[in-house]
Amino acid sequence: MPNSNAKLHSNRRGGREASRRELVSRSLQSAQHCLENQDFGTAYAHYLLVLNLAPELKTTVKETFQFTLFKWAEELDSLARIQDLFNCYEQALELYPNDEVICNSMGEHLFRMGFRDEAAGYFHKAVKLNPDFADAKENFYRVANWLVERWHFIMLNDAKRNLTYLRAIENAVHSGSKSVLDIGTGTGILSMFAKKAGASFVYACELSKTMYELARDVVAANNMERDIKLLHLKSLDIDIPKHIPERVSLVVTETVDAGLFGEGIVESLIHAWEHLLLQPK
């Protein structure tokens, strides 16, 4: 009897596997037929079924799946079915999370729709996945030009100004401020100043996805990724102890510019003083 049961289970498994293979085969044929008739939406649905039933075929059908996705996305875009378009890309990235071509294409759609910061994130990921991907690099630099204000480059190249910040931070840290929060870190330069000055704990927040990714690259290039905790957050959203373990003893920022009130810096500094900064005894 035990042998009979084992044989029965084996037969059932074999039957299920045969049915799976048959369904996959038919779906692939249907997808190809739909592509020949330029029915990209139905073809895309068939490929989703295939890849979910037979993940081992991911490499085999990858290029055809990409082609189908991009064609279907173009149709959805022309029909203003934006949510459906995003849903398709989310499904595709679940199947191919490290595909630089899909990431770059998603970024292009976001950029055309005006979501430049989000687009930069996808372009940046594509470049990270494949540093030689020329289209993604060009797209990232293009969107970065939209998002990084020209005055930021002027400030970074102002040696006198940077030296003044460095000395002020060094004085504060040497006077006992060992935990530092950098609000609106940008490239991360003030955070690195604080760490080099001897601060034990350095936290930096940046709302812009583009600048946050840039800061991560700059900090890593300076071998400080373990010393500076970067947060993709608005300072008003920082929570203790969720994001930082305790109040800091020094807050630094260089977000004071012509957009003083528009950037909400007054509210940010008040919030930092009341909730994030150690109060004098």
Side-chain angles (χ1 to χ4, degrees), residues 35-47:
L35 285 178
E36 291 171 358
N37 291 286
Q38 298 189 351
D39 183 359
F40 300 114
T42 307
Y44 175 76
H46 279 299
Y47 278 119

Side-chain angles (χ1 to χ4, degrees), residues 65 106 124-125 188:
F65 175 76
M106 175 65 158
H124 184 266
K125 182 178 180 181

Side-chain angles (χ1 to χ4, degrees), residues 78-231:
S78 67
L79 296 170
R81 292 171 56 182
I82 306 306
Q83 190 56 57
D84 289 335
L85 185 153
F86 287 154
N87 288 342
C88 286
Y89 273 97
E90 287 175 2
Q91 292 166 339
L93 287 170
E94 285 180 6
L95 293 166
Y96 296 97
N98 296 318
D99 189 287
E100 69 273 19
V101 178
I102 295 177
C103 286
N104 182 65
S105 181
M106 175 65 158
E108 289 176 339
H109 281 286
L110 287 165
F111 183 78
R112 285 197 295 271
M113 293 173 192
F115 300 107
R116 291 167 182 157
D117 203 26
E118 293 82 355
Y122 281 97
F123 294 145
H124 184 266
K125 182 178 180 181
V127 173
K128 281 286 190 181
L129 290 167
N130 183 1
D132 297 323
F133 189 5
D135 287 349
K137 286 197 290 187
E138 182 180 345
N139 284 332
F140 181 69
Y141 295 142
R142 178 174 52 143
V143 74
N145 284 333
W146 282 89
L147 294 170
V148 182
E149 294 86 348
R150 291 289 180 258
W151 53 260
H152 202 96
F153 296 108
I154 297 172
M155 289 197 306
L156 287 174
N157 287 284
D158 187 339
K160 182 177 179 181
R161 172 185 169 281
N162 292 336
L163 183 59
T164 301
Y165 265 108
L166 174 61
R167 287 174 176 169
I169 291 172
E170 284 178 339
N171 289 338
V173 171
H174 295 164
S175 297
S177 297
K178 295 300 183 181
S179 57
V180 181
L181 171 64
D182 180 5
I183 295 178
T185 191
T187 57
I189 188 170
L190 298 189
S191 296
M192 292 187 291
F193 283 171
K195 191 61 194 178
K196 286 182 177 180
S200 303
F201 306 99
V202 181
Y203 313 97
C205 64
E206 176 56 56
L207 182 59
S208 165
K209 177 68 172 176
T210 305
M211 296 307 298
Y212 167 75
E213 296 289 357
L214 180 60
R216 287 182 61 185
D217 287 346
V218 172
V219 168
N222 285 272
N223 298 314
M224 291 188 181
E225 63 269 33
R226 295 184 179 180
D227 301 317
I228 299 172
K229 182 176 181 180
L230 288 164
L231 303 168

Side-chain angles (χ1 to χ4, degrees), residues 225-252:
E225 63 269 33
R226 295 184 179 180
D227 301 317
I228 299 172
K229 182 176 181 180
L230 288 164
L231 303 168
H232 181 214
L233 286 172
K234 190 176 182 180
S235 61
L236 295 171
D237 296 329
I238 294 177
D239 180 60
I240 297 173
K242 181 179 179 181
H243 300 117
I244 60 177
E246 58 188 3
R247 293 185 177 212
V248 298
S249 51
L250 176 66
V251 170
V252 296

Side-chain angles (χ1 to χ4, degrees), residues 45-62:
H46 279 299
Y47 278 119
L48 280 184
L49 178 61
V50 168
L51 290 168
N52 279 285
L53 287 175
E56 67 272 15
L57 295 178
K58 282 184 178 180
T59 302
T60 305
V61 303
K62 180 179 177 179

